[in-house]
Amino acid sequence: MNNIPPQQQQQQDQQPFFKQEPQQESIQLSAPQSYQNFQPLSYPSQQQQHQQSNHGQSYNSLQGSSTGNLSSFSAMPSNPYNLNNHLMGLSMQNGSSSSSGLGASSLAPGHNNSGLMSGANSGSTTPSMAYASAPSSPILSNLQYNPSGNSQYAQSNSNLYYQQQNQQHPQHSNQYSYHNQQPQHQSQSMSSSSLTSSFYPTSPPHQHQQQPQQNGSSTPFSSMPSTPLRQQHQPPQQQQQYAPLVPPLSDAQYAQYRQLLGSALSSAASTPYHSNQSTPYSSMPTSPTLEHQQLSDPSMLQKPKRRQVKNACVNCQKACKKCDEGRPCTRCIKYGLTETCVDSTRKVRKKGIKRGPYKRKIPPSQLGSASASTTPVLSHAVLAGPSTGYMSEPVTALNSPTQSHMLPFTSSSMNFGYNANSGSNSGYSFQTQSMDNNYVPPPYTTSYSGSSLYSTPYGVNDPANAGSSSNHFP
DNA sequence: TACATCGGACATTCAAGTGC
DNA sequence: CACTTGAATGTCCGATGTAA
C-alpha cells in the first residue's frame, strides 16, 4: 500500500490525523517537472497567516502525504490540467456538521489507532480499506486544509467552484480539542465542525510542507476539496497569493465543465456504485481517457462514512449525541456530567430466531458460464435485466404487473461502495450487484409499504413489519 | 445562541444460513 | 467450520423547538 517502514507506519497510525507536523519535518515532494518549475507568488505568507490564527487550523500546510491514510487525498487525480480534476471541487464535508463532527474520539489520548482504522471496524475484513490507502501522487501536495466551515456536503452547484477561504467558526473552537494532552504536537486546536479542506490546483506542491506521517485517522473524508475553478471566482487575496498553475478556464471550457459536472451529479443520483471499486476513496483514475468515467463515478461524490463508537455513554446515548471512548467522554466533560459518564448497557441479542434463505454470490469460477444460461438462475438474471444483478423473481413472476423488476433497482440494497464485505443494510446500501451480477437471489416476494419497496425472501418476515431499515428504499 | 429533543439515517454486531 | 447474510441493535446526524 505504501512504502513507509512498518515502525513508521505504526507511529503514524497512532497519531491524530490533524496533528501539525513540525516544520523541520517537511520534505520535498517529487513533483512533476512542470510543478517544480513553477514559482509561487506568495504562498508562504498565507500559510504563516494561518498558522498564527487563534484557532489553529493551519491545515493549509497539511499536505497530502505519500504515507498516510488520507485516502480522500489519494483520490486526487494526478493531472491538474485534467478538467475532471476539478470535480474534486465538489466540496464534501464530514457527515457531521455538528460540533462533534470531527469525532473527539479520534483525537482522544490513549486511543491508539484512533480514527479510521480503529474501533468498530476491527472485526471487519474490508470496510476500513476504503479509507486506508496511501496516497502517492505528487499532486497531493496541492492539498490544503481550509478551515472554512461553510461548505456543506451537498452543496449547490453554485458553490462548487468557489469556496471562500480562511473563514472560521469561532464558536466551535477548542471544545473538542485534546491538544493539551498531546503536547508533542504543535498545539493547534481545531473546530471539528469548521474543518474543511480545499484542493488548490493553483498552488505549487513543492512550496507546501508535506505531512510525512499523515495519519488519516479521523476525517480524511470530512472534506472533499473544493476548487476555485475560475480566477474570477476567487477572492482577490487569493489571486494575489496563488499563481495559476491551472490556466483559467475559458467560457467554453467552463460550460463544458458545467455540463460534465451536471452529468456526474445526475449519475451519482441514479447510478449504483461499482462494486468492484473496493476503495472508493483511494483509487481515482488518472488517465485522461477515463475522464468521462471519472465524471460519472459517484464514488467521487460519496458521502464519507460515519464512524461511531462501539459503546456510547449513557448521557450521550440519551441525548443521541456523538460520544467518544474516553470516560468521561468529551461531551460529558463539556456539560459537567463526568460522574455519570459510564458505558451504556447493551441488550443481549435474541437467539433462536428463524431466518430465511440467503442470497448467495455466484463463485467467480462460474461467472464465465453465466452467459450460457446453463442454469435457471442465470437465465433469470438475464431476463431480469443487467441492471439488477439479483434475480428478481422466479420466471413466473416476471409477468406480474406488480413486479419489482419493473423498477430500476429491484433487490434489497445497493451498496454505494463502502462496506463491501458486510452486506450492510445501511442507508447507503445500494448494493453493487448491478455491475458484477454475482448474486443469485432466492425467490422473492415484492411488496410496497407506504412509499417503500420491499423485496422479501420467502420465509422472512415482512421487513415492513420488522422495524428494520433494511430492504427498503427511500 | 446554546441547548434539548427526537426521528430516522447510518453503522455495527452476531446468530442463522450456506457451502465446501 | 469458515464464510456470508441480514435482522437486531446501537450510534448519532440534523432538523426542530425552547429558553436565555
Side-chain angles (χ1 to χ4, degrees), chain A residues 250-296:
Chain A
S250 67
D251 289 340
Q253 288 173 321
Y254 185 69
Q256 180 189 9
Y257 169 77
R258 292 298 300 265
Q259 184 177 4
L260 293 173
L261 179 64
S263 171
L265 292 174
S266 62
S267 280
S270 62
T271 306
Y273 185 73
H274 196 303
S275 63
N276 293 332
Q277 191 160 352
S278 61
T279 56
Y281 297 100
S282 63
S283 58
M284 173 94 69
T286 56
S287 167
T289 63
L290 298 176
E291 287 183 3
H292 190 72
Q293 181 176 337
Q294 289 180 21
L295 287 171
S296 59

Side-chain angles (χ1 to χ4, degrees), chain A residues 168-294:
Chain A
Q168 298 177 0
H169 279 191
Q171 71 271 27
H172 286 169
S173 63
N174 297 326
Q175 290 177 347
Y176 290 93
S177 171
Y178 275 91
H179 286 278
N180 291 342
Q181 291 125 329
Q182 296 183 333
Q184 70 273 24
H185 306 142
Q186 292 189 15
S187 179
Q188 297 281 359
S189 63
M190 68 201 72
S191 163
S192 59
S193 66
S194 62
L195 190 64
T196 307
S197 69
S198 290
F199 173 57
Y200 297 93
T202 58
S203 61
H206 64 288
Q207 289 295 327
H208 296 190
Q209 296 175 4
Q210 193 202 9
Q211 295 285 94
Q213 295 182 359
Q214 199 59 252
N215 187 327
S217 56
S218 61
T219 57
F221 331 104
S222 65
S223 44
M224 290 297 281
S226 83
T227 304
L229 248 194
R230 313 188 80 188
Q231 290 295 308
Q232 61 266 35
H233 287 171
Q234 300 181 20
Q237 173 191 1
Q238 196 171 355
Q239 290 186 33
Q240 294 176 359
Q241 292 185 337
Y242 292 89
L245 183 61
V246 176
L249 299 179
S250 67
D251 289 340
Q253 288 173 321
Y254 185 69
Q256 180 189 9
Y257 169 77
R258 292 298 300 265
Q259 184 177 4
L260 293 173
L261 179 64
S263 171
L265 292 174
S266 62
S267 280
S270 62
T271 306
Y273 185 73
H274 196 303
S275 63
N276 293 332
Q277 191 160 352
S278 61
T279 56
Y281 297 100
S282 63
S283 58
M284 173 94 69
T286 56
S287 167
T289 63
L290 298 176
E291 287 183 3
H292 190 72
Q293 181 176 337
Q294 289 180 21

Side-chain angles (χ1 to χ4, degrees), chain A residues 134-153:
Chain A
S136 59
S137 169
I139 194 64
L140 297 176
S141 59
N142 280 336
L143 295 171
Q144 297 180 349
Y145 271 101
N146 169 26
S148 165
N150 284 347
S151 66
Q152 294 294 320
Y153 167 66

Side-chain angles (χ1 to χ4, degrees), chain A residues 392-394 403-404 410 442-447 453-458 460:
Chain A
S392 301
E393 298 86 18
Q403 288 317 305
S404 59
T410 63
Y444 269 72
T445 60
T446 302
S447 62
L453 168 66
Y454 296 95
S455 294
T456 308
Y458 291 128
V460 175

